[in-house]
Amino acid sequence: MHLLDRQLADAIHRIHHSPTPDLVEKAAQDERAYLSQLDKLMTRIRAVEGQLLQIDRHATRH
């Protein structure tokens, strides 16, 4: 997640500071790709947290 955060920050920096429209567009494409990857990762993390919560609930009942 930290790597994706750094890559996303770099893409945003490139969007704001690239000298040509082509480089800005490439940075925007990178930003979209990193956001998509980050969304998938966060969804997986939430799913695992939910599973762990269910396990914990079952363990405390017995």
Side-chain angles (χ1 to χ4, degrees):
M1 187 159 69
H2 296 292
L3 174 60
L4 282 172
D5 282 338
R6 284 196 314 265
Q7 290 172 322
L8 184 58
D10 177 65
I12 292 168
H13 177 80
R14 288 185 288 126
I15 288 170
H16 293 284
H17 300 287
S18 290
T20 67
D22 290 342
L23 291 175
V24 171
E25 179 57 33
K26 172 63 172 124
Q29 290 173 2
D30 291 346
E31 178 191 31
R32 286 189 294 273
Y34 297 142
L35 283 172
S36 177
Q37 291 175 26
L38 191 57
D39 180 59
K40 289 176 186 176
L41 178 60
M42 294 300 294
T43 299
R44 254 190 266 163
I45 289 171
R46 286 189 298 272
V48 169
E49 288 173 342
Q51 290 174 345
L52 291 172
L53 183 60
Q54 291 297 324
I55 291 169
D56 186 49
R57 284 184 183 164
H58 290 295
T60 56
R61 290 183 185 168
H62 294 113

